[in-house]
Amino acid sequence: MTSPASRAAQLRKEIARHSLAYFAHDDPLIPDADYDALVSELRELERRHPEVGTSESTRVGAPASTVFSPVRHAEAMLSLDNVFDVDELRAWSERVQRSLDPASPLAFVVEPKIDGLALSITYREGILVQGATRGDGRVGEDVTENIRTISNLPQRLSGATGTLEIRGEVFLAKADFERLNDSQRAAGGKLFANPRNAAAGSLRQKDPAVSASRPLSFLAYQLVDLDASLSLRTHHETLERLRSWGFLVAPETRVEDDVSHMVARSTWFEQHRHDFAYEIDGAVVKVDDLASRASLGSTSRAPRWAIARKFPPEERSTRLVSIEVSIGRTGRATPYAVLEPVLVAGSRVAMATLHNEDQVREKDVRPGDLVVVRKAGDVIPEVVGAIVTEGAPRAEPWRFPDTCPECGGDLRRREGESDTYCVNAACPAQQMQKIVHFASRGALDIEGLGEQRVTQLLGEGLIADVADLFRLDARAVAQLEGFGELSASALATAIDAAKSAPLSRILVGLGIRHVGPVAARELARHFRTYDALAGAPLEEIESLEGIGPIIAQSVYEYAREDESRERMARMAAAGVALVEPEGDDTLAATLVGRAVVVTGTVPGYSRDAAVAAVQARGGTSPGSVSAKTYCVVVGDAPGAAKVDKARAAGVPMIAASAFEELLATGTWSATLG
Ligand code: IVH
């Protein structure tokens, strides 16, 4: 067994290596969660074995580089202590409350924890004079020239006197990060691992012109009043002041005056972590009253008056066992990674997609590698890349197979496309996936028909096509292994219910090339019956809103194939309605119980039409904003009162351009800053 002293030495060496890569080179070697794990292991070791001493683990960053001049911070730029769940957060707040006056309950401010990099900006007599990175917390780097080009940074603070330091986070919005990586890819440059690294790399450019070309943003969350020229009493007043000077302050920030609301608000941030225009990796809770803060003070590392509730990491490292290929309903062959199981974002991940041949090549992941796995929100887990240790042996680069792993037929990559397909139309994997898709939630939603059962039914010869589902013999099903009277009859009931499903869902389920839910709905609404659609001339299909020539051609051809004619005739004979009911009842109920306030004009909608669109999805659209409002859609010429109210209440605001997304999905991928 390794002794505590040698484990500590080993950990310190590792941490130092990773700190250098992360802070000085903006190019981390391992996911943040792995780094955090090393640091907490060292801290724990130092706590339990005081003889090993303390050293590296108290650092909050890396020493300043030699490229930029050093700047000594007038007041140290501290880090934050972390908690990882609700109980730890509550325990922290109770400790804080106890050490102050237990009789006067504290108010807390809850903010998003932006995953960017800390910046301190000095203003003298209201004029921006210096920008500095955190560095090691005491001494940072002078990046004044580079930050002058950050477009949302006020250059002057009206009415400000003396010396002020405004602290906050520099970040790249997610959309800006995607755009930056697209242009890096086009130019054959290096891709950034995530928005944080891209922001760090962009800020710490030797050439300010390069920084200027990167769309950095700044969000303020702290004010250091060096000459005590302002008389602020609370953190929320401070934020208001920052906002009045033109700084971006997180609009979702809330003051909560009891512990349970504070905890609930931090959970709200976790639930909405993907709804922000920028990446957040936690919620920060701060004591609101500045005098209480002063009496709480700080340790050498972090203030006692603030805490970060970190969300479960969305990136972890694990071993790549092998790379396999799966066949989808269209025959597309998708490579995927078989992994040593790992907990990512709270769920166990043992497989992750690798998308296509080019992605495997670009990421250069090979069996046996340690790889980074990412799982964000509802998105399926993916392999980000390999963690390669110089000099360590690796397997040969992976090669895409020539034959289908399911049927042995040829796999062919289409000219000019990045996808590879199994070209055997009779491939059993394709048949299986077609039926699974037909039964899936987005289509007919037949509960109890997943991959396993469909494979079984196919294998037993009870079905060969989706149309066979409607003639399935419940008694034969009940005899199958794993089924019983009960589950067979439940399946029969679910299939029976699917017979009256609206035509739009059937069209989705058939998996006609290029026909997604939106096109399916449009086609079904216009033609109302499958027969009308199948008999329609190409021009009529093409003339529909949102149906381009490619979709129209695909639908037209589908309807004329012998196989489809037979399928649809058999479905009709089995009692499938193939009719779209009148009215809007087929709209997805994406906004049930939610109040969406619309202010200003949303292009393409009259006021009434926008309200009706929200109501048609189960929502309400009241005329005023309250704390209960789900979100505010900000159109052209919005009402100032509504916008102010939304900001004050921390209600998310989204652009009119995101209205369609809101209607379709019930959520949004970007809020207005
Ligand atoms: S307050 C003295 N508030 O997280 C307190 N920090 O892990 C200083 N961060 O160094 C920090 N969002 O770079 C604060 N709303 C927020 C933040 C935030 C992101 C960063 C900051 C800090 C790091 C600690």
Side-chain angles (χ1 to χ4, degrees), residues 128-208:
L128 191 162
V129 292
Q130 188 172 64
T133 64
R134 182 169 66 183
D136 67 359
R138 307 283 181 285
V139 178
E141 297 165 320
D142 186 336
V143 289
T144 312
E145 293 317 309
N146 295 5
I147 62 149
R148 285 196 190 280
T149 55
I150 298 178
S151 62
N152 77 341
L153 199 61
Q155 302 288 326
R156 263 167 195 281
L157 312 184
S158 84
T161 56
T163 304
L164 296 173
E165 278 191 27
I166 312 299
R167 293 179 177 177
E169 208 78 355
V170 179
F171 65 91
L172 258 183
K174 288 187 262 190
D176 291 329
F177 163 73
E178 297 297 341
R179 267 195 292 276
L180 176 59
N181 259 358
D182 285 347
S183 62
Q184 292 284 109
R185 195 177 289 115
K190 192 169 171 291
L191 299 189
F192 293 103
N194 54 48
R196 203 209 82 92
N197 294 119
S202 302
L203 183 66
R204 299 170 74 256
Q205 282 288 333
K206 272 174 265 176
D207 180 1

Side-chain angles (χ1 to χ4, degrees), residues 514-567:
H514 308 297
V515 178
V518 177
R521 194 172 298 143
E522 187 58 33
L523 291 165
R525 286 240 189 93
H526 180 81
F527 292 106
R528 295 287 166 195
T529 70
Y530 182 79
D531 285 345
L533 167 65
L538 185 60
E539 301 72 56
E540 185 179 352
I541 306 176
E542 234 180 62
S543 71
L544 300 186
E545 176 87 21
I547 308 284
I550 297 178
I551 300 179
Q553 186 70 34
S554 174
V555 172
Y556 185 77
E557 280 172 14
Y558 180 89
R560 275 155 191 77
E561 280 164 14
D562 289 343
E563 208 185 328
S564 338
R565 284 169 186 268
E566 193 193 328
R567 173 177 305 125

Side-chain angles (χ1 to χ4, degrees), residues 60 75-82 110-119 134 167-170 196 219-222 235 250 253 280-286 293 298 301-303 305-308 310:
V60 295
E75 191 176 286
M77 286 183 82
L78 298 178
S79 185
L80 290 169
D81 283 332
N82 297 325
V110 192
E111 305 173 352
K113 184 172 191 304
I114 300 105
D115 197 10
L117 59 152
L119 188 71
R134 182 169 66 183
R167 293 179 177 177
E169 208 78 355
V170 179
R196 203 209 82 92
L219 184 142
Y221 49 66
Q222 202 184 355
H235 182 56
T253 299
I280 68 170
D281 60 350
V284 183
V285 180
K286 299 173 178 174
R293 283 192 187 190
S298 306
R301 207 190 93 84
W305 44 260
I307 197 84
K310 292 265 258 187

